[in-house]
Amino acid sequence: MDMPRNDVRPVELDVFSTPKHLEHASEQARARNYQDFLIVDVDSHHYENEHYAEVFEYIESPVIRNEAKEGAGRRVGWLNSQVGYQNTGGRIHRQKFRGKEKAKPGKHADIMLTLDWMDAMGVDYCCMFPTPMLFLGLHPQVEVEAAMCDAYNAWLCERILANEPRIVSMLYLPFNDPEAAYKTVKKFGDKKGVVGFMVTSPRYRPVHDNAYMKTYALLEEMGKPISFHAAYSWDDRSLQMTNRFISVHALGFMWFNMIHMTNWVINGLPVRFPKLKVMWIESGLTWAASLMQRLDHSFMMRTSDAPLLREKPSHYMKQMFYSTQPMEIPEDKSVMESTFKMINAETQLVWSSDYPHWDFDLPSTIYDLPFLNETSKRNILGANAARLFGLDLKPVKRIP
Amino acid sequence: MAEWFVAKASELKDGDRRVVTAGKREIGVFHKDGAYYAYSNVCLHQGGPACEGMITQNVVDVIDKNRQYQGQVYGDETHFVCPWHGYEYDLKTGECIGDRKQKLRKYEIVKRGDDIYVVA
């Protein structure tokens, strides 16, 4: 018989430990038997800026490398950034105190810190993405995006992916330089842990530009997915009209992906590259269901604007992949169930946490949905991504 | 129901708090402005440690008699914030600020001499 426990502890805000911070997530993982099946997180992050000293050493051009090293930490930065207050005035305290946490000895600090939160949540594999570099597509110097992207990818492959099989990545594509994007796929496509390539969505280059066709063809030939990772830009002319972070974030994370998706479908890229796998990351789910209806409606009246399409736009959108986070959970779950049906969630939806960012989701956001059966839950939480990335279905996590 | 020891009153200073493990439950106990409050430490959102984050005053949009916005100030209501995602709760009621129909489970506090207990 269990004896009653009566532990009492103080709350120490300025002491940060990932396993402690996520203790309730580990309880969820044990209660839901996550150890019995695979969970893949297709969108998580680290703070690459904490390792810029290492990353800059990988910049090939000695001139740009020097500019990077000399420009770092200056009043005016070498890399662009964004206005924002993601930590909600200090309310998300891991963003304030995580710097106090010491990584366990062993591998690179970002590997050890990542494995800590993965195990705490019950995650077997994660796809690691950068954080400040999500805004790099807005850098005014195309050659800086290309140089920084090449250096980061090389650093990530050598220091992280080569040394930890549970961490994979879709590497950053320097999309503002189409030739560099092509070379990036050629150079890194076969590296260990590279499961695809990622375009940061805030930027002003249309995806249907002819300059990208050889990159899409190469990705299709290699069987590697291309993904579009959302973010916001408070410099965007429309979004400049918003005055609170909630507004620019809610709209911005859908806005750029809605534009790229519309261009992708209307210009017939799914017809031109029928085997290319496409994934949309961190826009939630409601935008896709809404856009399907919108484009289908217009298409029936204006087929001459999209003559390559043999089916309605939604037909092609249903064949793409969608990451879950930040998953809108309405009070009326039937609305959500319809969204799942529209995007073919059973095979096309892939769970993501976005940890450690402010609006991360746990696996329970999927596992606890009342309208999913156990097979559907396991597909969305891991099996769909395993098929897409070529991962083993055997769980490897160590839930504390 | 049982009484679970929280702290000596002399040790739980005003503005301080404790997290009590009472069997399988976790309960956050607050001492604020002379009163004690106890709530479930499981956030209604995704199950985060609701009672272990920042304590802050509510934010108020100031609208003047012409219904024009004149900036923001802190109000009189005290909130505690789940550190995972920022869900805010009213310290006096346990109501979720984003949807006051939702409340954290509230527990009774009893004081016996210098000892404080939570009833759960």
Side-chain angles (χ1 to χ4, degrees), chain A residues 10-28:
Chain A
V11 174
E12 298 170 304
L13 283 179
D14 59 347
V15 177
F16 190 85
S17 143
T18 294
K20 176 74 187 133
H21 184 63
L22 294 174
E23 203 167 30
H24 286 197
S26 302
E27 285 171 16
Q28 291 183 19

Side-chain angles (χ1 to χ4, degrees), chain B residues 29-69:
Chain B
V29 179
F30 299 82
H31 182 198
K32 180 74 173 168
D33 298 332
Y36 296 95
Y37 308 94
Y39 298 105
S40 164
N41 191 35
V42 180
C43 184
L44 299 172
H45 175 219
Q46 291 194 30
C51 302
E52 298 188 48
M54 181 181 184
I55 296 175
T56 184
Q57 298 307 111
N58 60 317
V59 173
V60 177
D61 273 353
V62 178
I63 306 298
D64 69 15
K65 63 182 180 182
N66 298 315
R67 289 183 272 188
Q68 293 183 339
Y69 172 74

Side-chain angles (χ1 to χ4, degrees), chain A residues 215-224 272-276:
Chain A
T215 301
Y216 300 153
L218 180 59
L219 287 168
E220 184 182 45
E221 183 187 322
M222 296 174 78
K224 302 274 183 183
R272 288 191 256 176
F273 303 97
K275 291 183 180 171
L276 176 56

